[in-house]
Amino acid sequence: MSKKYQPSEKEQAFLNSVTNGKYDRQIIKGLKKFIDGNAPEDMQSFYSADELEALAALKGTAQDVEARMPVKLTRHYFELAKKSAALQVLVKANPQETVDLDGSSDPGKQMSYSPVEGLIHKYEMGLLYVSSTCSAHCRFCYREELIAKKGIERADGTVAPKGLAQINDLVVYIKQHNAEVAANGGRHPQTGREKLREILMSGGDPMVLSNRNIAAWWAALAEAGIESIRLGTKELAFYPKRFDETFFDMADKFHATYPGTKIRLMIHFNHPDEFLLKDDDGNFITESVGGLRWHPDTKHAIGELGKRNWLTVDNQAPLIAGINNDPDALRIMQREMKQNKVENHYFFCGRDIIGHKAFNIPIEESWRILNESQKGLSGVETHARLSITHYKGKTEVVAVTNDPLPGVPGAENGVVIMKLHRNAEDAPEKGLITILGRNPEAIWFSGYNDRVIYDEAGLFANLDNV
Ligand code: SF4
């Protein structure tokens, strides 16, 4: 049992000034309400009778879709999704999800880098699990093991669900890590890493926590010497009203108390239907002042975020079959993001989660889609890169070529070039590349095991890890 954290006087004064908001997300949890016909009348038809029958037949079997990933939906998202085939794929359970349950129970082998429960310290930054749910659930969620509370094998061989981080444990770890770094001349004696100065709060979605809870994390991390706090959230898509006056009041007071600690919001829009309004013909609406018409709640939230120069907002999202394998939609999204002060950060190839074959787009096709989507964008709108998460670290899919490379065995159909973009510990291999013979079917690294042409990055050095 971890010790209770004792805030400093300054910290306590800030926490005493924070108020919690009241939210009515009108969430439907689970399929039961739909199957029993007890969902609100207008929401009941979100699933057809045939769909519900097929899903109900899987209940309690090895193909149970809710055992893989719990079903959850807000009214806000329902209102958007009823007019969007893409959003329906994102949030509606589908029997196809469990036809092939191949995949990793711990994608990215995160548990190998968990020195404290709820903390993954793989890169220079630390990732915290502070919540095990979101306001709604994406069917493709790459944290399905956390959200569905599945047992994961630890480094010591024991199996238990991933636990959430506790403030006291984290503060003790950060201070100890940074003291060891300072005592060793600025580098950690074992890992070579510098001071831990950045923390990503994730889960689940930290925005399901109360303002007081978020404030307690932010203040404790700032007191421990953390200089930037990232917060990963899809709440702007699921329930933008969460970004209300009480939240901004808390955030402004935090900034006034801890001006040295910056907030970086990592938001998650997959598709423009998640924030743009449509006319009766299903087309986006052009604003007379330029740009497209946003949902007013989302526009308000993004506008308030944009007013605060100590806070940055970046969008990142996976490319998922049936949702955003659409260059035109992605082009619109990237343009609208940048126009509203949101940086386009990463698009991801789907991870090798349990059931990933139902969601993942082939790697080469993902590259093509993103590349097509960026034709017609300006330089500042095209900052997003395509990333695939190798066990070693985030890897950029840099290019896919079509023509044979004369004289290079294995390159008869063109090549895929990958670059190790981040690397565990102090990133010794960052920037190294791997060149592969093409395989248009490949949805994971393993699809290239037999066609490695050049592997400077060592992505295929240990085939158990790909
Ligand atoms: S918002 Fe993120 S963590 Fe939440 S269900 Fe979707 S993918 Fe998973």
Side-chain angles (χ1 to χ4, degrees):
M1 173 102 175
S2 63
K3 278 217 240 137
K4 194 164 161 27
Y5 176 69
Q6 288 300 333
S8 69
E9 236 172 77
K10 170 169 121 174
E11 206 174 352
Q12 193 60 57
F14 159 61
L15 295 178
N16 290 345
S17 73
V18 174
T19 52
N20 284 339
K22 288 197 173 54
Y23 309 107
D24 180 13
R25 292 177 171 88
Q26 298 183 49
I27 288 170
I28 300 199
K29 251 185 182 177
L31 285 172
K32 190 168 181 337
K33 278 210 167 131
F34 289 106
I35 290 170
D36 295 348
N38 290 332
E41 213 179 324
D42 60 329
M43 293 172 92
Q44 185 63 41
S45 60
F46 198 46
Y47 286 91
S48 71
D50 288 349
E51 285 171 338
L52 290 174
E53 194 182 331
L55 290 163
L58 301 178
K59 199 83 208 141
T61 71
Q63 266 61 48
D64 189 336
V65 290
E66 289 187 276
R68 192 196 66 83
M69 180 67 195
V71 171
K72 202 171 174 189
L73 174 67
T74 54
R75 173 163 284 278
H76 175 82
Y77 206 78
F78 160 75
E79 295 291 347
L80 298 169
K82 68 184 184 189
K83 295 187 197 147
S84 166
L87 272 52
Q88 287 174 29
V89 174
L90 188 142
V91 83
K92 277 177 71 175
N94 185 326
Q96 292 302 317
E97 294 169 17
T98 53
V99 169
D100 184 340
L101 288 172
D102 187 26
S104 167
S105 59
D106 181 23
K109 295 199 171 35
Q110 290 192 322
M111 293 317 281
S112 319
Y113 293 92
S114 182
V116 175
E117 193 67 40
L119 166 72
I120 310 297
H121 192 184
K122 179 172 179 177
Y123 303 120
E124 75 295 339
M125 172 191 82
L127 182 155
L128 298 185
Y129 295 129
V130 296
S131 151
S132 58
T133 189
C134 307
S135 288
H137 289 161
C138 315
R139 300 312 301 162
F140 58 76
C141 178
Y142 57 104
R143 297 271 167 75
E144 42 88 33
E145 82 291 351
L146 177 76
I147 289 177
K149 301 188 171 52
K150 296 175 187 169
I152 304 298
E153 188 172 345
R154 312 303 177 101
D156 64 4
T158 56
V159 175
K162 285 183 178 173
L164 298 183
Q166 305 299 322
I167 290 180
N168 198 62
D169 297 349
L170 254 294
V171 167
V172 169
Y173 177 82
I174 293 166
K175 286 186 173 165
Q176 189 181 330
H177 179 272
N178 288 353
E180 286 167 8
V181 168
N184 193 48
R187 293 270 175 188
H188 194 274
Q190 269 96 50
T191 62
R193 274 190 291 236
E194 293 182 37
K195 173 187 171 200
L196 185 49
R197 57 183 175 79
E198 183 159 352
I199 285 286
L200 166 61
M201 292 171 64
S202 184
D205 194 330
M207 290 306 291
V208 304
L209 304 179
S210 68
N211 290 336
R212 287 204 186 104
N213 212 330
I214 295 171
W217 270 112
W218 287 6
L221 292 171
E223 290 269 341
I226 294 297
E227 294 163 17
S228 21
I229 301 173
R230 290 201 210 181
L231 187 150
T233 180
K234 196 170 169 66
E235 196 72 336
L236 281 167
F238 289 152
Y239 186 65
K241 281 188 169 160
R242 174 65 184 85
F243 293 86
D244 65 348
E245 269 179 40
T246 67
F247 172 76
F248 286 113
D249 181 58
M250 180 278 283
D252 289 342
K253 285 173 176 160
F254 172 77
H255 175 61
T257 314
Y258 297 102
T261 304
K262 305 294 189 281
I263 301 297
R264 297 174 177 173
L265 229 58
M266 308 304 293
I267 64 170
H268 177 183
F269 285 123
N270 293 84
H271 193 283
D273 286 359
E274 291 178 312
F275 56 90
L276 295 181
L277 295 182
K278 289 178 175 172
D279 63 19
D280 292 341
D281 298 325
N283 299 315
F284 296 133
I285 303 161
T286 304
E287 294 281 21
S288 56
V289 292
L292 297 170
R293 185 167 304 165
W294 285 49
H295 189 290
D297 295 342
T298 328
K299 184 80 176 176
H300 175 73
I302 217 83
E304 286 297 316
L305 291 168
K307 286 179 190 167
R308 290 159 170 86
N309 67 3
W310 44 271
L311 181 158
T312 58
V313 188
D314 290 71
N315 189 57
Q316 54 183 15
L319 297 178
I320 302 289
I323 298 178
N324 55 6
N325 50 337
D326 176 350
D328 293 338
L330 292 180
R331 187 178 308 112
I332 290 168
M333 186 164 85
Q334 290 169 90
R335 198 173 275 159
E336 285 296 317
M337 288 292 117
K338 189 68 188 175
Q339 200 67 5
N340 287 274
K341 295 178 81 174
V342 178
E343 198 57 55
N344 292 295
H345 188 44
Y346 279 132
F347 287 98
F348 297 108
C349 294
R351 286 194 176 190
D352 58 335
I353 59 161
I354 302 281
H356 65 285
K357 288 181 187 154
F359 305 104
N360 287 12
I361 302 167
I363 295 166
E364 295 168 23
E365 175 65 358
S366 296
W367 182 85
R368 188 197 69 78
I369 291 166
L370 181 57
N371 195 54
E372 279 303 306
S373 81
Q374 293 183 333
K375 293 179 181 170
L377 293 183
S378 75
V380 290
E381 291 167 339
T382 53
H383 286 177
R385 289 180 276 195
L386 180 65
S387 169
I388 179 165
T389 304
H390 189 273
Y391 165 63
K392 284 187 139 194
K394 288 224 163 56
T395 302
E396 185 182 348
V397 183
V398 181
V400 177
T401 70
N402 288 313
D403 294 333
L405 280 187
V408 180
E412 293 76 14
N413 299 313
V415 296
V416 179
I417 301 171
M418 293 185 177
K419 181 167 96 174
L420 200 54
H421 187 52
R422 292 173 81 195
N423 193 202
E425 303 191 326
D426 69 336
E429 296 160 309
K430 178 177 163 55
L432 301 186
I433 67 162
T434 292
I435 302 176
L436 307 161
R438 285 194 58 181
N439 176 6
E441 312 290 316
I443 56 171
W444 194 244
F445 291 99
S446 49
Y448 295 103
N449 283 354
D450 60 347
R451 40 196 97 191
V452 179
I453 295 172
Y454 175 63
D455 193 18
E456 181 190 38
L459 300 180
F460 293 81
N462 180 354
L463 292 182
D464 288 344
N465 285 332
V466 297

